[in-house]
Amino acid sequence: MAILASIWSYFWAVLTALPIVGFVLVYAIAFFVKKNHHDALTWSITISNVLLIRAVAAAYGVIWPNAMSVWLWIVLLFLGIALLIGWMQIKVRGKISLSKIGFSTWRITFVLFGLAYIMLFSTGIWKSMQFV
């Protein structure tokens, strides 16, 4: 049982450190099940966003261990994007669609967390190279 728990923790560690592995893995599984590239891509983006959030939170905690909690910044980012999209919907259409706000917020944060992951990953490598 300890071996299985160890394998499971290494699997989650790899997915947290390298969320692209999760993206490829989910895409392959979803394409095998659904036989549709669009559905497989949608599923992999959705799951990879969760993995990217975990990776950004972990990298932020390693680079700045004494800083304010990253989860506060993540919640504020989600709320800010949702409010901005809602405001734009009111200006353009005159009404709000919560499902479109949620979907758009999730997709925009996928791109933002992907960029933040690349930036924090390279910053972490640069910061660790200074100690060598």
Side-chain angles (χ1 to χ4, degrees), residues 54-84:
R54 284 176 46 106
V56 166
Y60 182 88
V62 168
I63 294 171
W64 298 290
N66 297 327
M68 191 180 348
S69 174
V70 69
W71 297 106
L72 176 66
W73 293 113
I74 290 172
V75 168
L76 289 175
L77 177 70
F78 272 99
L79 288 175
I81 292 172
L83 286 172
L84 182 64

Side-chain angles (χ1 to χ4, degrees), residues 1 3-4 7 10 32 35 39-40 63 65-66 98 100 102 132:
M1 190 67 164
I3 294 171
L4 187 60
I7 291 171
Y10 283 126
F32 179 74
K35 305 285 191 241
D39 289 344
I63 294 171
N66 297 327
L98 292 178
K100 288 183 180 182
V132 175

Side-chain angles (χ1 to χ4, degrees), residues 52-129:
L52 281 169
I53 292 169
R54 284 176 46 106
V56 166
Y60 182 88
V62 168
I63 294 171
W64 298 290
N66 297 327
M68 191 180 348
S69 174
V70 69
W71 297 106
L72 176 66
W73 293 113
I74 290 172
V75 168
L76 289 175
L77 177 70
F78 272 99
L79 288 175
I81 292 172
L83 286 172
L84 182 64
I85 292 172
W87 177 77
M88 287 172 32
Q89 279 185 354
I90 288 174
K91 289 292 182 189
V92 172
R93 294 188 178 163
K95 61 180 180 174
I96 293 179
S97 171
L98 292 178
S99 63
K100 288 183 180 182
I101 290 173
F103 181 79
S104 300
T105 301
W106 192 251
R107 293 295 187 235
I108 290 171
T109 56
F110 174 75
V111 173
L112 292 178
F113 282 118
L115 293 173
Y117 170 74
I118 292 168
M119 187 178 68
L120 289 172
F121 193 76
S122 60
T123 302
I125 290 173
W126 178 73
K127 187 175 179 182
S128 67
M129 292 298 286

Side-chain angles (χ1 to χ4, degrees), residues 32-43:
F32 179 74
V33 171
K34 298 210 177 237
K35 305 285 191 241
N36 186 345
H37 290 288
H38 183 265
D39 289 344
L41 187 64
T42 302
W43 272 96

